[in-house]
Each structure stands twice: as structure tokens, then as C-alpha cells.
Amino acid sequence: MRELPSSLRPRERLLANGAEALANDELLAILFRTGTPDASALELAGSLLSKFGDLIRLQRASAQELAHEPGVGEAKAASIVAAFELGKRFMTLVPEDGMQVSGPQDVYRLLQGAMSFQEQENVRVLLLNTRNRVEGVITTSVGSLNSSTVRIAELFKDAVRRQAAAIVLAHNHPSGDPTPSADDVAVTRKAVEAGKLLDIEVLDHIVIGQPRGDRPGWVSLRERGLGFDGPVSA
């Protein structure tokens, strides 16, 4: 990209204006660092984004798949996958003093980066103390959340071991539609009953999808009164 004026080079623009000022292809070009004899890093980035359509589809691609794209190769593919993984891990960090959960929107903010775009269902359990602060986030299973096969004991194993006061269940819908299924409701009902026996309250079960128009990217089963005694009071 030496042929570009310095004011238009992605790296210089980032340093001068901040990362938020850059378009997706410019950020990707910075990861690439170099282009090929036939295309600049910026042109390669634009071509790759056009091929996959958007960042959601790009982050779902494996390193092996990306490496076979023209001009990408193993090094650039590894940089892309690593950047997406760092973003996911950052989104699931819990502050040292413990993030306080005051509603389903807090759970969504904590987990959306790691769960919204997964291609398989992913079940996680938030462990909370008596002040509803997050003490840990546990991944209990990867695969379909089926009421006939899910082991309720697995949902509570770490909560019991770490003496959590309450838990919040969360899982994603790979389709992007967070509408709860019959299995979601059945699992919730089983978990709520088990929690009563263990003296560990199930505060909520959040289904995570992707926002579409006016539809948020999550659904709270407690707010809808699904699997709980009734909807949350106003």
C-alpha cells in the first residue's frame, strides 16, 4: 500500500483517527500487513469480504478454508482467526469485582460476542453470589439442547462445588432466532425444580440469537413466564 498517500493508508489512519474510524476492509488489511504482487493488502481484504459477504460469515470460516483463498495463505488466515477469537474472549471477560446481573440484557451483553454467531448450540451457566455478581461462566455442553438428553446435574455441578447462590442459564440458537423452543421450556422447568431442591435459584434462562430490525438478540424465558412460575413482576 506504499502507493497510497499516508493519509489514506489504514495503519496511519488508525493511528491518527482511532480504529472506529476505519471500515472493515481497512481493519482486515492491517491484519494482513502485506499484499501480493497482484493486489494490495486493502484489495485482498475487500475481495475476501466480498467473497464471504459479511463479518459474520467470515468469522465462521476455518483457518484452513481461509488459507485456500487467493492471496491469503496460512499466515493471514491465522491472523484473521486469532483476531476473531480475541474478540470473543474479550466479550466474555468478567470484571475482577464481578459484573452484577440486574436483568437479561446484562447476560446478553456479557455473552453475545461468544455465543451469537456460533454454528452449534452452546450452553453456559453464570454462577452468581448473593448480590447477583458473576463469580464465573461455565460452558456445560456444545450441541443440541434437548430436554430428553440434557443432564440437569451438569448445569448445577460447578454451582454446587463453588457454593453459588444462584445461576442463570444461557444458550444460543444458531439460526439467529432467539424464540424459545418446547425443549428450551422443558429444560428450564427441570432446572428450576432442581434448583429448589439444591437451594440454588435459577434466576433466568436466556436464549441468545442475533438482532433483526426491532427484534432484540435475546429472549428471557422468565420474562415470558416459560418454565418459571410466572412472568417477572414489574
Side-chain angles (χ1 to χ4, degrees), residues 13-234:
R13 277 180 27 81
L14 183 147
L15 293 173
N17 304 312
E20 63 277 5
L22 273 64
N24 291 337
D25 60 343
E26 293 177 295
L27 293 171
L28 197 54
I30 292 174
L31 290 176
F32 285 170
R33 297 182 60 193
T34 60
T36 68
D38 299 320
S40 68
L42 191 57
E43 290 169 334
L44 278 179
S47 176
L48 194 64
L49 286 171
S50 295
K51 164 70 183 297
F52 283 89
D54 55 35
L55 290 177
I56 295 174
R57 293 179 177 87
L58 183 62
Q59 70 89 30
R60 286 178 173 170
S62 67
Q64 292 74 20
E65 184 180 356
L66 292 170
H68 283 92
E69 291 297 318
V72 178
E74 292 183 350
K76 290 180 174 63
S79 294
I80 296 170
V81 173
F84 278 122
E85 182 60 27
L86 280 172
K88 290 178 186 177
R89 294 186 185 189
F90 173 78
M91 291 295 290
T92 58
L93 288 177
V94 178
E96 288 185 8
D97 59 348
M99 168 186 167
Q100 188 166 31
V101 173
S102 59
Q105 67 279 359
D106 295 328
V107 178
Y108 178 67
R109 280 196 292 266
L110 178 63
L111 298 178
Q112 63 172 318
M115 299 182 71
S116 288
F117 306 109
Q118 292 290 329
E119 295 187 86
Q120 285 185 298
E121 285 196 9
N122 204 298
V123 182
R124 302 197 182 197
V125 180
L126 273 64
L127 309 181
L128 308 179
N129 63 20
T130 55
R131 301 181 66 185
N132 286 352
R133 291 192 177 276
V134 179
E135 299 280 316
V137 180
I138 309 298
T139 300
T140 63
S141 65
V142 176
S144 178
L145 185 70
N146 187 300
S147 61
S148 64
T149 60
V150 68
R151 296 188 67 246
I152 297 299
E154 285 295 313
L155 301 179
F156 287 91
K157 181 176 69 175
D158 287 276
V160 170
R161 182 173 60 83
R162 295 170 61 170
Q163 298 183 320
I167 65 172
V168 173
L169 306 179
H171 81 282
N172 64 301
H173 281 178
S175 67
D177 182 356
T179 303
S181 68
D183 274 324
D184 298 341
V185 177
V187 168
T188 302
R189 187 172 291 112
K190 288 181 180 179
V192 169
E193 291 303 314
K196 291 176 181 177
L197 295 174
L198 295 168
D199 197 26
I200 298 174
E201 184 179 5
V202 179
L203 293 182
D204 209 337
H205 183 175
I206 310 299
V207 182
I208 294 175
Q210 299 162 21
R212 289 286 188 275
D214 294 334
R215 186 193 76 192
W218 52 269
V219 167
S220 161
L221 272 76
R222 176 176 283 278
E223 286 188 343
R224 293 197 177 186
L226 300 173
F228 294 87
D229 293 335
V232 66
S233 57

